[in-house]
Amino acid sequence: MRLGLALGYWGRGPSAEHVPLAREAERLGYDSVWTAESWGSDVFTPLTWIAAQTSRIKLGTAVAQMAARSPTTTAMHALTLDHLSGGRVLLGLGLSGPQVVEGWYGRPFPKSPLTATREYVDVVRQVLRREAPVALDGRFHSLPHRGPDGTGLGKPLKPITHPLRPDLPVLLGAEGPKNVAQTIRIADGWLPLYWAPGRPEIYGPAVSDLPEGFRVAALAQVRVCDDVAAGLLPVKAMLGFYIGGMGHAARNFHADLMARMGYEEEARRIQELFLSGRREEAVLAVPDAFADEISLVGPRARIAERLAAWRADPVTDLLALAPDPHTLRVLAELNS
């Protein structure tokens, strides 16, 4: 199982610790470092900054939001950074949800998310392969543009720049069973948000039959500490925000996933508290058992014991949200 360092997205501003952590992860033999975006910092600029100050570690987006850019724009970002970094990019994509797509990007959330994702990946791959001018008569992504508001003068184009790697890996963030099944068919890897060791069936039957070389890059908060309950608080804070606030009460993919994992009543209670402004109560309402199941928190011996369950699963890459160099080092030693 490879290790990755997940840095997430910025809060109020950039963290002075991100580059030192990435360099330490590279020194320790971590395979990859990953950035993210929500509705603040973007995913590619911090990764480019990190790329300039490292030499070997792979550079992943977890995830680049599809609504933020046309598929050709995303492909341009990826092929540019891949050249500048010497072929280190792992392109992770995600659809996000209606709240972000419509509220932040001002675009309609697709009525058929699977079709929209499939078309997006198709265009990205066409750009990266550079075998012919990019063309797609899609429901959500049409190249050239054929709408009634166009001039009719557009024509299919090939990228001027030759991509460094036509097979640059594309991974997808997916939560529902149908989305996961499609991800396994059309992508090179999958970025599950909450991975519960020993329970891959939560994501559907397709997980039991993965293609050779397919990446399952699972995100988990990791913290070496003596007090497990205190160590779980940051995990619960993240879950409270994602389940309570990262989506509408009637359509929140993260809450739906928690419900499928056996915590339906708790998920709805967290939403109710968060959306009524009682955010601290929402965090405290996250069950310790759920937070513990999807993270690696506690003393070294406890993490070592629990890490064995991750290795026994289809997880190929553990993307650790690890806030300090000590945790990074312990995890590297235990995984060696």
Side-chain angles (χ1 to χ4, degrees):
M1 186 174 65
R2 294 177 292 255
L3 294 180
L5 168 64
L7 296 173
Y9 46 79
W10 297 353
R12 185 183 296 268
S15 171
E17 301 303 317
H18 281 182
V19 169
L21 281 173
R23 295 179 71 172
E24 177 66 0
E26 180 173 73
R27 188 188 70 81
L28 291 168
Y30 278 61
D31 181 72
S32 56
V33 58
W34 301 73
T35 55
E37 61 187 5
S38 54
W39 50 90
S41 61
D42 81 281
V43 72
F44 286 105
T45 308
L47 206 60
T48 304
W49 188 253
I50 291 167
Q53 300 181 69
T54 56
S55 60
R56 177 197 56 79
I57 197 165
K58 295 184 180 69
L59 309 159
T61 58
V63 293
Q65 296 181 354
M66 296 184 212
R69 308 163 189 87
S70 70
T72 48
T73 305
T74 295
M76 288 168 65
H77 277 299
L79 75 85
T80 301
L81 182 52
D82 206 44
H83 269 291
L84 293 174
S85 66
R88 292 192 274 154
V89 171
L90 301 167
L91 181 59
L93 304 171
L95 197 59
S96 193
Q99 183 187 46
V100 175
V101 172
E102 298 185 1
W104 182 247
Y105 296 116
R107 303 180 61 180
F109 189 77
K111 289 184 170 60
S112 177
L114 294 179
T115 302
T117 299
R118 190 165 59 249
E119 291 179 3
Y120 200 101
V121 171
D122 186 345
V123 173
V124 168
R125 291 210 188 273
Q126 286 190 54
V127 174
L128 294 174
R129 288 195 300 263
R130 201 181 177 272
E131 294 173 345
V134 179
L136 181 69
D137 185 14
R139 176 178 173 186
F140 299 97
H141 301 286
S142 290
L143 285 95
H145 179 69
R146 298 179 177 87
D149 55 342
T151 65
L153 301 178
K155 67 175 185 178
L157 299 169
K158 288 173 67 174
I160 296 170
T161 304
H162 291 235
L164 183 65
R165 293 183 297 160
D167 58 349
L168 186 152
V170 175
L171 298 87
L172 294 175
E175 295 179 38
K178 290 183 180 178
N179 200 352
V180 172
Q182 174 173 271
T183 294
I184 293 169
R185 290 195 305 272
I186 70 172
D188 303 300
W190 168 40
L191 294 156
L193 183 59
Y194 309 139
W195 184 268
R199 296 209 287 158
E201 70 279 357
I202 292 166
Y203 289 99
V207 180
S208 64
D209 187 22
L210 298 175
E212 182 71 25
F214 188 83
R215 283 180 180 254
V216 177
L219 188 75
Q221 290 208 37
V222 184
R223 188 179 299 267
V224 178
C225 59
D226 294 327
D227 188 335
V228 174
L232 287 174
L233 282 176
V235 185
K236 295 174 67 169
M238 177 271 292
L239 289 169
F241 175 64
Y242 271 70
I243 292 159
M246 193 72 83
H248 189 272
R251 195 166 188 186
N252 182 314
F253 302 133
H254 310 307
D256 293 343
L257 174 56
M258 183 178 176
R260 289 201 308 275
M261 296 175 77
Y263 299 92
E264 181 172 7
E265 183 177 338
E266 293 88 341
R268 304 313 167 199
R269 178 60 176 161
I270 293 165
Q271 282 188 297
E272 177 187 332
L273 290 168
F274 194 96
L275 295 173
S276 65
R278 298 155 67 184
R279 297 191 175 190
E280 290 186 9
E281 292 180 64
V283 170
L284 294 176
V286 176
D288 281 6
F290 178 54
D292 195 29
E293 185 176 17
I294 63 170
S295 62
L296 287 161
V297 172
R300 179 187 177 109
R302 186 176 194 264
I303 291 178
E305 179 181 350
R306 294 166 64 83
L307 194 60
W310 289 79
R311 289 202 198 93
D313 272 6
V315 175
T316 61
D317 299 73
L318 172 60
L319 310 187
L321 276 161
D324 63 273
H326 176 63
T327 294
L328 284 180
R329 288 193 293 272
V330 170
L331 188 59
E333 291 167 2
L334 294 176
N335 195 59
S336 61

